[in-house]
Amino acid sequence: MKDINSKVLLISGHPDLRCSVANSEILKRLDTRSQLKIHKLDEVYPNYQINAQAEQALLIHADIIVLQFPLYWSTYPALMKLWFDEVFTYNFAFGPEGDKLKHKKVILSITCGATQSSYQVGEFNFLPLDQYLQSAVHPIKAAQMEIVDTIITFEMNSTPDEGAIKAR
């Protein structure tokens, strides 16, 4: 990272990091970076009650935003989807006065359980990954943010429990 004084905010969108191997390990390794603030949505909002104003303030004060999440059914998990729905609002992220995130830099960090080759026509996931991610990046593009990097880690279902939501 060139600018060591940049304020980097990592938003973890995993719905339950206690059940994660890959995403937990990524966050553990990044936790040693002093210029990085890790914001775990599953810990802050275990009941899915998003505080939009608090989240918007975090985003405004960040220079670089890393969105870390596992790919669930070809997009981000429900908690992160709700976060986008509640936080990227009209006249904040888009609309006539919605320029609060304009030109913010974004890094996508995505873990996928499947193989890279499975994301193509005729394979298990049917389509190239870029096609699936179009809807996921829509709010980022609508907010006129700049995606500067995308890091995708494939084959992350390293244990039978990884990625699985157990019946309650």
Side-chain angles (χ1 to χ4, degrees):
M1 183 177 312
K2 287 182 185 175
D3 185 1
I4 196 150
N5 295 319
S6 291
K7 293 179 246 162
V8 182
L9 172 65
L10 184 147
I11 305 288
S12 168
H14 196 289
D16 188 351
L17 285 165
R18 296 171 302 169
C19 299
S20 171
V21 175
N23 288 266
S24 290
E25 183 63 24
I26 289 168
L27 295 178
K28 183 174 108 181
R29 290 179 184 223
L30 292 175
D31 197 30
T32 61
R33 312 290 171 132
S34 62
Q35 71 271 24
L36 176 69
K37 174 181 176 38
I38 296 177
H39 185 61
K40 299 174 183 175
L41 296 179
D42 69 317
E43 288 180 6
V44 179
Y45 303 113
N47 296 320
Y48 285 55
Q49 300 296 312
I50 308 291
N51 180 336
Q53 289 181 324
E55 296 300 310
Q56 290 170 347
L58 283 173
L59 292 171
I60 286 170
H61 289 99
D63 296 323
I64 301 167
I65 299 153
V66 180
L67 299 171
Q68 164 63 49
F69 59 94
L71 199 67
Y72 276 22
W73 289 110
S74 308
T75 191
Y76 25 70
L79 179 58
M80 185 165 256
K81 170 67 168 95
L82 179 64
W83 180 83
F84 274 110
D85 290 346
E86 299 288 325
V87 176
F88 279 55
T89 57
Y90 187 76
N91 280 339
F92 174 75
F94 67 98
E97 298 172 29
D99 60 354
K100 312 308 183 279
L101 302 175
K102 188 174 183 177
H103 302 304
K104 296 263 184 192
K105 303 214 179 314
V106 175
I107 298 171
L108 299 174
S109 174
I110 305 165
T111 57
C112 299
T115 63
Q116 183 172 2
S117 63
S118 74
Y119 288 96
Q120 56 187 318
V121 175
E123 294 297 327
F124 176 76
N125 286 301
F126 309 110
L127 296 170
L129 186 58
D130 287 345
Q131 282 188 259
Y132 286 121
L133 293 178
Q134 286 178 11
S135 62
V137 300
H138 180 249
I140 298 164
K141 290 183 177 185
Q144 300 177 65
M145 301 169 85
E146 179 185 354
I147 299 173
V148 295
D149 201 0
T150 300
I151 302 158
I152 301 172
T153 310
F154 293 95
E155 299 183 60
M156 289 295 103
N157 280 349
S158 56
T159 71
D161 292 334
E162 181 73 18
I165 301 296
K166 298 197 180 10
R168 299 187 198 268

